[in-house]
Amino acid sequence: MKFISWNVNGLRACVGKGFEEVFRNMDADFFCIQETKMQEGQLDLSFPGYESYWNYAEKKGYSGTAIYTRHTPLSVTYGMGKEEHDTEGRVITLEMEDFFLVCVYTPNSQDELRRLDYRMKWEDDFRQYLLSLRSRGKGVVMCGDLNVAHEEIDIKNPATNHRNAGFTDEERDKMTVLLDSGFKDSFRMLHPDTVLYSWWSYRFKARERNTGWRIDYFIVSDDLSSKITGAAIHTAVLGSDHCPVEVDMDL
Protein backbone atom coordinates (compact mmCIF):
# COMPACT_ATOMS: atom_id res chain seq x y z
CA MET A 1 0.00 0.00 0.00
CA LYS A 2 1.15 3.50 -0.83
CA PHE A 3 0.59 6.34 1.63
CA ILE A 4 1.15 10.03 0.83
CA SER A 5 1.03 12.98 3.23
CA TRP A 6 1.18 16.64 2.18
CA ASN A 7 0.73 19.94 3.96
CA VAL A 8 -0.78 21.91 1.09
CA ASN A 9 -0.82 25.31 2.88
CA GLY A 10 -4.32 26.07 1.60
CA LEU A 11 -5.95 23.44 -0.60
CA ARG A 12 -7.83 25.88 -2.81
CA ALA A 13 -4.58 27.70 -3.61
CA CYS A 14 -2.78 24.40 -4.14
CA VAL A 15 -5.45 23.23 -6.61
CA GLY A 16 -4.54 26.31 -8.65
CA LYS A 17 -0.90 25.18 -8.59
CA GLY A 18 -1.38 21.63 -9.92
CA PHE A 19 -2.66 19.64 -6.93
CA GLU A 20 -4.94 17.44 -9.03
CA GLU A 21 -2.14 16.39 -11.36
CA VAL A 22 0.12 15.59 -8.39
CA PHE A 23 -2.67 13.58 -6.78
CA ARG A 24 -3.23 11.48 -9.88
CA ASN A 25 0.48 10.97 -10.51
CA MET A 26 1.07 9.83 -6.93
CA ASP A 27 -1.55 7.07 -7.38
CA ALA A 28 -1.75 6.48 -3.61
CA ASP A 29 -3.99 4.18 -1.63
CA PHE A 30 -4.25 6.87 1.05
CA PHE A 31 -3.58 10.57 0.46
CA CYS A 32 -3.51 12.61 3.67
CA ILE A 33 -3.65 16.41 3.64
CA GLN A 34 -2.90 19.02 6.27
CA GLU A 35 -3.62 22.75 6.44
CA THR A 36 -6.57 22.68 4.06
CA LYS A 37 -7.60 26.16 5.33
CA MET A 38 -11.19 25.49 4.31
CA GLN A 39 -14.73 25.27 5.56
CA GLU A 40 -17.25 22.70 4.37
CA GLY A 41 -18.69 23.50 0.96
CA GLN A 42 -15.86 25.77 -0.20
CA LEU A 43 -14.37 23.24 -2.62
CA ASP A 44 -15.81 20.23 -4.45
CA LEU A 45 -12.79 18.06 -5.13
CA SER A 46 -13.40 14.40 -5.83
CA PHE A 47 -11.41 11.69 -7.60
CA PRO A 48 -12.78 8.48 -9.14
CA GLY A 49 -12.26 5.49 -6.88
CA TYR A 50 -11.64 7.55 -3.73
CA GLU A 51 -13.71 8.38 -0.69
CA SER A 52 -12.75 11.48 1.29
CA TYR A 53 -13.06 12.55 4.93
CA TRP A 54 -12.63 16.12 6.20
CA ASN A 55 -12.04 17.79 9.54
CA TYR A 56 -12.51 21.57 9.47
CA ALA A 57 -11.35 24.12 12.02
CA GLU A 58 -14.00 26.29 13.63
CA LYS A 59 -11.87 29.32 12.72
CA LYS A 60 -12.27 30.17 9.04
CA GLY A 61 -9.27 29.82 6.74
CA TYR A 62 -7.23 27.98 9.37
CA SER A 63 -5.71 24.54 9.87
CA GLY A 64 -7.86 21.58 8.72
CA THR A 65 -7.11 18.02 7.59
CA ALA A 66 -8.44 15.55 5.03
CA ILE A 67 -7.88 11.98 3.87
CA TYR A 68 -8.62 10.50 0.46
CA THR A 69 -8.76 6.70 0.51
CA ARG A 70 -9.33 3.91 -1.97
CA HIS A 71 -10.25 1.60 0.92
CA THR A 72 -13.46 2.03 2.89
CA PRO A 73 -12.68 2.33 6.61
CA LEU A 74 -14.49 0.46 9.35
CA SER A 75 -14.91 3.73 11.23
CA VAL A 76 -13.79 7.36 11.13
CA THR A 77 -12.96 9.57 14.13
CA TYR A 78 -12.40 13.31 14.13
CA GLY A 79 -10.15 14.80 16.81
CA MET A 80 -8.77 12.92 19.78
CA GLY A 81 -11.70 13.24 22.13
CA LYS A 82 -10.47 16.28 24.06
CA GLU A 83 -12.41 19.49 23.58
CA GLU A 84 -9.40 21.72 24.22
CA HIS A 85 -7.68 20.20 21.16
CA ASP A 86 -10.55 19.38 18.86
CA THR A 87 -11.74 22.76 17.56
CA GLU A 88 -8.95 23.26 15.01
CA GLY A 89 -9.57 20.29 12.70
CA ARG A 90 -6.16 18.76 13.32
CA VAL A 91 -6.76 15.01 13.55
CA ILE A 92 -8.57 12.37 11.47
CA THR A 93 -8.36 8.66 12.24
CA LEU A 94 -9.44 5.87 9.90
CA GLU A 95 -9.87 2.44 11.43
CA MET A 96 -8.97 -0.16 8.83
CA GLU A 97 -9.15 -3.93 9.13
CA ASP A 98 -5.56 -4.34 10.31
CA PHE A 99 -4.38 -0.86 11.35
CA PHE A 100 -5.33 2.68 12.26
CA LEU A 101 -4.35 5.57 9.97
CA VAL A 102 -4.00 8.92 11.73
CA CYS A 103 -3.57 12.18 9.79
CA VAL A 104 -2.41 15.06 12.02
CA TYR A 105 -1.45 18.70 11.76
CA THR A 106 0.48 19.44 14.95
CA PRO A 107 0.10 22.96 16.42
CA ASN A 108 3.00 25.32 15.79
CA SER A 109 4.63 26.82 18.89
CA GLN A 110 4.61 30.17 17.04
CA ASP A 111 6.82 33.25 17.23
CA GLU A 112 8.48 33.85 20.59
CA LEU A 113 7.23 30.37 21.54
CA ARG A 114 3.98 31.88 22.76
CA ARG A 115 2.14 28.59 22.21
CA LEU A 116 4.87 26.27 23.49
CA ASP A 117 3.08 25.42 26.75
CA TYR A 118 -0.03 24.44 24.83
CA ARG A 119 2.12 22.46 22.40
CA MET A 120 3.60 20.47 25.29
CA LYS A 121 0.08 19.56 26.50
CA TRP A 122 -0.90 18.62 22.97
CA GLU A 123 2.15 16.37 22.61
CA ASP A 124 1.36 14.45 25.79
CA ASP A 125 -2.32 14.07 24.96
CA PHE A 126 -1.70 13.08 21.36
CA ARG A 127 0.86 10.47 22.38
CA GLN A 128 -1.66 9.00 24.81
CA TYR A 129 -4.24 9.00 22.03
CA LEU A 130 -1.91 7.01 19.77
CA LEU A 131 -1.15 4.57 22.58
CA SER A 132 -4.87 4.13 23.21
CA LEU A 133 -5.31 3.15 19.56
CA ARG A 134 -2.37 0.78 19.82
CA SER A 135 -3.96 -0.87 22.88
CA ARG A 136 -6.90 -1.94 20.72
CA GLY A 137 -4.79 -4.63 19.10
CA LYS A 138 -3.99 -2.97 15.78
CA GLY A 139 -0.90 -1.20 14.53
CA VAL A 140 -0.85 2.56 13.93
CA VAL A 141 0.32 4.53 10.89
CA MET A 142 0.48 8.23 11.79
CA CYS A 143 1.41 10.94 9.33
CA GLY A 144 1.42 14.66 8.86
CA ASP A 145 3.14 17.95 9.54
CA LEU A 146 4.49 17.43 13.07
CA ASN A 147 6.09 20.89 13.19
CA VAL A 148 9.38 19.61 14.60
CA ALA A 149 12.76 18.82 13.10
CA HIS A 150 13.75 15.95 15.36
CA GLU A 151 17.52 15.79 14.92
CA GLU A 152 20.21 18.16 13.65
CA ILE A 153 20.32 16.22 10.37
CA ASP A 154 16.70 17.28 9.84
CA ILE A 155 17.40 21.02 9.59
CA LYS A 156 19.80 23.06 7.47
CA ASN A 157 21.00 25.44 10.20
CA PRO A 158 20.59 23.78 13.62
CA ALA A 159 22.80 26.19 15.56
CA THR A 160 20.93 29.34 14.58
CA ASN A 161 17.48 27.77 15.04
CA HIS A 162 18.00 26.26 18.46
CA ARG A 163 15.31 28.31 20.22
CA ASN A 164 13.00 28.76 17.26
CA ALA A 165 9.60 27.08 17.05
CA GLY A 166 10.02 23.59 15.65
CA PHE A 167 13.56 23.06 16.91
CA THR A 168 13.39 23.70 20.63
CA ASP A 169 14.75 21.09 23.02
CA GLU A 170 11.24 20.70 24.40
CA GLU A 171 9.66 19.84 21.07
CA ARG A 172 12.48 17.54 20.02
CA ASP A 173 12.36 15.76 23.38
CA LYS A 174 8.63 15.10 22.96
CA MET A 175 9.36 13.45 19.61
CA THR A 176 11.98 11.28 21.28
CA VAL A 177 9.50 10.28 23.97
CA LEU A 178 6.96 9.34 21.29
CA LEU A 179 9.44 7.18 19.40
CA ASP A 180 10.63 5.56 22.62
CA SER A 181 7.04 4.62 23.47
CA GLY A 182 6.90 2.17 20.57
CA PHE A 183 7.06 3.99 17.22
CA LYS A 184 9.48 4.36 14.31
CA ASP A 185 10.27 7.33 12.06
CA SER A 186 9.87 5.46 8.77
CA PHE A 187 12.10 7.68 6.63
CA ARG A 188 14.93 7.78 9.15
CA MET A 189 14.63 4.03 9.72
CA LEU A 190 15.35 3.34 6.04
CA HIS A 191 17.59 6.35 5.38
CA PRO A 192 19.57 7.02 8.57
CA ASP A 193 22.10 9.39 6.98
CA THR A 194 20.11 10.98 4.15
CA VAL A 195 19.71 14.75 4.25
CA LEU A 196 16.37 15.74 2.74
CA TYR A 197 13.88 18.40 3.80
CA SER A 198 10.11 18.69 3.45
CA TRP A 199 9.52 22.38 4.26
CA TRP A 200 11.19 25.63 3.18
CA SER A 201 10.32 29.17 4.19
CA TYR A 202 8.91 31.37 1.47
CA ARG A 203 11.46 34.00 2.52
CA PHE A 204 15.05 34.48 1.36
CA LYS A 205 14.74 32.03 -1.56
CA ALA A 206 14.99 29.22 0.98
CA ARG A 207 13.77 26.50 -1.37
CA GLU A 208 16.14 27.52 -4.15
CA ARG A 209 18.99 27.38 -1.65
CA ASN A 210 17.60 24.22 -0.02
CA THR A 211 17.59 25.87 3.39
CA GLY A 212 14.93 23.54 4.73
CA TRP A 213 13.52 21.50 7.58
CA ARG A 214 12.23 17.93 7.68
CA ILE A 215 9.01 18.33 9.67
CA ASP A 216 6.63 16.02 7.74
CA TYR A 217 6.66 12.37 8.78
CA PHE A 218 5.21 8.91 8.64
CA ILE A 219 5.48 7.46 12.14
CA VAL A 220 4.66 3.76 12.38
CA SER A 221 4.11 1.61 15.46
CA ASP A 222 6.90 -0.89 16.10
CA ASP A 223 4.73 -3.90 15.27
CA LEU A 224 4.25 -2.59 11.71
CA SER A 225 7.82 -1.39 11.10
CA SER A 226 8.80 -4.67 9.41
CA LYS A 227 6.04 -4.01 6.87
CA ILE A 228 7.71 -0.82 5.59
CA THR A 229 9.08 -1.36 2.09
CA GLY A 230 9.93 2.22 1.10
CA ALA A 231 9.98 5.83 2.24
CA ALA A 232 10.47 8.97 0.18
CA ILE A 233 10.37 12.77 0.31
CA HIS A 234 9.21 14.28 -2.99
CA THR A 235 11.26 17.47 -2.99
CA ALA A 236 10.59 18.21 -6.67
CA VAL A 237 6.82 18.54 -6.17
CA LEU A 238 5.77 22.19 -5.97
CA GLY A 239 2.49 23.86 -5.03
CA SER A 240 3.10 24.46 -1.32
CA ASP A 241 5.92 25.45 1.01
CA HIS A 242 5.93 21.76 1.99
CA CYS A 243 6.46 18.80 -0.32
CA PRO A 244 4.71 15.41 -0.12
CA VAL A 245 6.20 12.57 1.89
CA GLU A 246 5.57 8.88 1.29
CA VAL A 247 5.72 5.50 2.93
CA ASP A 248 5.07 2.16 1.24
CA MET A 249 3.95 -0.78 3.31
CA ASP A 250 3.14 -4.44 2.74
CA LEU A 251 -0.25 -4.48 4.47
Side-chain angles (χ1 to χ4, degrees):
M1 284 187 174
K2 182 177 183 178
F3 299 77
I4 294 290
S5 176
W6 193 11
N7 179 322
V8 294
N9 192 15
L11 183 56
R12 288 171 293 170
C14 195
V15 165
K17 300 174 183 177
F19 174 84
E20 292 169 271
E21 182 180 3
V22 172
F23 185 98
R24 294 187 183 100
N25 288 341
M26 289 290 184
D27 194 29
D29 291 276
F30 299 90
F31 199 114
C32 299
I33 302 170
Q34 303 87 44
E35 210 170 358
T36 58
K37 295 185 178 180
M38 283 171 39
Q39 306 305 123
E40 187 171 8
Q42 288 188 310
L43 182 68
D44 181 13
L45 185 63
S46 60
F47 297 93
Y50 288 88
E51 305 170 15
S52 63
Y53 300 91
W54 302 76
N55 194 2
Y56 305 100
E58 292 180 3
K59 180 180 177 181
K60 291 183 179 180
Y62 181 72
S63 190
T65 48
I67 301 177
Y68 285 88
T69 172
R70 280 181 168 145
H71 309 276
T72 300
L74 301 178
S75 65
V76 183
T77 304
Y78 301 94
M80 56 172 124
K82 288 184 176 289
E83 186 174 354
E84 65 187 294
H85 301 311
D86 289 348
T87 63
E88 297 184 349
R90 293 184 178 276
V91 180
I92 303 176
T93 303
L94 304 189
E95 180 184 6
M96 309 306 295
E97 188 71 34
D98 300 315
F99 63 95
F100 291 97
L101 173 62
V102 182
C103 173
V104 62
Y105 177 38
T106 300
N108 191 299
S109 296
Q110 299 187 349
D111 294 340
E112 299 180 358
L113 304 179
R114 61 183 184 274
R115 215 179 186 196
L116 181 61
D117 289 345
Y118 171 71
R119 168 69 176 267
M120 295 296 97
K121 181 70 164 60
W122 164 281
E123 292 282 356
D124 290 339
D125 289 344
F126 185 63
R127 183 177 66 257
Q128 290 305 313
Y129 174 69
L130 295 179
L131 292 173
S132 74
L133 295 178
R134 185 67 195 88
S135 71
R136 293 167 60 181
K138 296 181 180 181
V140 174
V141 179
M142 180 267 283
C143 68
D145 174 1
L146 302 190
N147 263 314
V148 62
H150 184 216
E151 303 289 355
E152 291 194 353
I153 191 176
D154 298 316
I155 185 171
K156 179 70 170 182
N157 296 312
T160 57
N161 282 289
H162 183 239
R163 286 305 295 167
N164 286 338
F167 199 62
T168 64
D169 291 341
E170 293 91 333
E171 292 162 309
R172 296 168 64 197
D173 287 348
K174 290 296 186 184
M175 171 69 95
T176 299
V177 171
L178 172 64
L179 296 177
D180 287 347
S181 66
F183 295 89
K184 291 284 193 300
D185 174 350
S186 61
F187 181 80
R188 196 52 74 206
M189 187 182 88
L190 295 188
H191 307 287
D193 302 313
T194 300
V195 177
L196 282 177
Y197 307 123
S198 66
W199 174 80
W200 304 261
S201 170
Y202 279 133
R203 298 181 295 173
F204 312 123
K205 297 184 178 180
R207 193 157 190 171
E208 294 176 32
R209 297 164 53 228
N210 199 29
T211 305
W213 303 43
R214 188 175 76 97
I215 60 176
D216 301 89
Y217 298 81
F218 274 95
I219 305 294
V220 176
S221 56
D222 284 348
D223 58 309
L224 293 181
S225 62
S226 64
K227 306 288 188 182
I228 297 172
T229 59
I233 299 177
H234 295 281
T235 57
V237 175
L238 305 178
S240 169
D241 52 350
H242 296 249
C243 73
V245 297
E246 174 182 343
V247 72
D248 303 296
M249 302 184 69
D250 183 13
L251 294 170

